[in-house]
């Protein structure tokens, strides 16, 4: 005769960046979580909400939770590295844009005072200050990401190891 046993679940909602969705969808089942559904967040554009549950009485719950916390810390470190990598080039590109705007304002003043050649020179500098920030940003960002890539890859290796160990603990027969 078929006998049904009681199973108590713990539930969790996790808000994650859409960029990292595949990593989270691959990792959480290794920690015993069953992802019931996921959807884009209306309040936080660019993020998704994962709705998950897992058995409260699973074997090795404390150790799996510890590995899950390490996974979260590694993901936070990756996100922080990538966000920090964008910050420097963004500030530099904004400063170039501001200098271009100042040159353009100088060109307007030079025009009002009748200095045609100085106005043209400042106008060209101003247009370059408006056109170059994007190209400068892309170049500087690429340099920084290449410099930080080994650190990011080492964190992904840590995540791989954590999820592999958690999977082995979660699915003990």
């Amino acid at each position: 005769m078929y006998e049904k046993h009681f199973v108590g679940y713990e539930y969790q909602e996790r808000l994650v960046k859409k960029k990292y969705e595949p990593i989270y969808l691959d990792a959480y089942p290794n920690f015993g979580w069953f992802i019931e559904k996921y959807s884009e967040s209306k309040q936080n554009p660019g993020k998704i909400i994962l709705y998950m549950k897992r058995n409260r009485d699973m074997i090795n719950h404390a150790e799996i939770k510890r590995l899950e916390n390490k996974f979260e810390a590694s993901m936070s470190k990756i996100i922080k590295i990538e966000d920090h990598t964008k910050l420097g080039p963004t500030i530099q590109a904004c400063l170039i844009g501001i200098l271009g705007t100042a040159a353009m304002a100088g060109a307007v003043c030079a025009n009002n005072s009748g200095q045609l050649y100085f106005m043209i020179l400042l106008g060209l500098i101003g247009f370059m200050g408006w056109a170059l920030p994007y190209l400068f940003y892309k170049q500087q960002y690429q340099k920084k990401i290449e410099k930080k890539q080994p650190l990011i890859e080492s964190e992904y290796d840590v995540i791989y190891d954590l999820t592999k160990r958690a999977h082995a603990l979660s699915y003990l027969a």
Side-chain angles (χ1 to χ4, degrees):
M1 184 91 202
Y2 178 70
E3 196 174 306
K4 191 164 184 165
H5 297 282
F6 172 76
V7 178
Y9 292 103
E10 59 182 308
Y11 297 90
Q12 181 176 349
E13 292 179 10
R14 182 69 63 164
L15 185 67
V16 299
K17 288 186 175 182
K18 186 153 181 67
K19 176 181 179 180
Y20 303 105
E21 173 186 357
I23 297 167
Y24 284 101
L25 290 177
D26 289 344
Y28 277 125
N30 293 307
F31 298 107
W33 290 105
F34 172 72
I35 299 173
E36 292 186 304
K37 66 177 182 171
Y38 59 96
S39 62
E40 290 196 29
S41 174
K42 292 177 178 64
Q43 293 84 10
N44 300 304
K47 294 193 175 186
I48 61 164
I49 303 173
L50 302 175
Y51 300 93
M52 306 179 292
K53 71 178 183 179
R54 76 174 163 196
N55 186 346
R56 281 188 183 278
D57 297 327
M58 62 191 272
I59 301 171
N60 300 315
H61 189 272
E63 179 65 15
I64 291 171
K65 184 67 177 162
R66 188 183 68 75
L67 292 172
E68 184 180 343
N69 289 339
K70 283 185 175 183
F71 163 76
E72 289 295 335
S74 290
M75 283 304 298
S76 294
K77 193 172 182 182
I78 289 170
I79 292 168
K80 188 183 290 185
I81 290 169
E82 290 185 355
D83 288 347
H84 186 265
T85 303
K86 292 176 185 175
L87 183 63
T90 301
I91 291 171
Q92 292 171 348
C94 288
L95 288 175
I96 292 171
I98 290 170
L99 290 174
T101 303
M104 195 58 75
V108 170
C109 292
N111 181 42
N112 291 341
S113 65
Q115 298 174 345
L116 180 64
Y117 294 113
F118 191 56
M119 177 204 67
I120 292 171
L121 176 67
L122 287 176
L124 289 174
I125 293 171
F127 279 122
M128 286 183 358
W130 287 348
L132 291 179
Y134 177 72
L135 300 173
F136 186 79
Y137 170 81
K138 294 286 276 185
Q139 177 194 27
Q140 292 300 315
Y141 177 71
Q142 193 61 36
K143 282 182 185 177
K144 283 203 169 214
I145 203 74
E146 286 172 3
K147 186 177 174 183
K148 301 280 185 172
Q149 195 61 36
L151 185 57
I152 293 170
E153 287 299 322
S154 70
E155 284 301 316
Y156 279 124
D157 291 341
V158 168
I159 288 172
Y160 172 77
D161 184 50
L162 289 171
T163 55
K164 188 176 179 182
R165 289 185 355 215
H167 178 80
L169 291 172
S170 294
Y171 296 101
L172 284 176

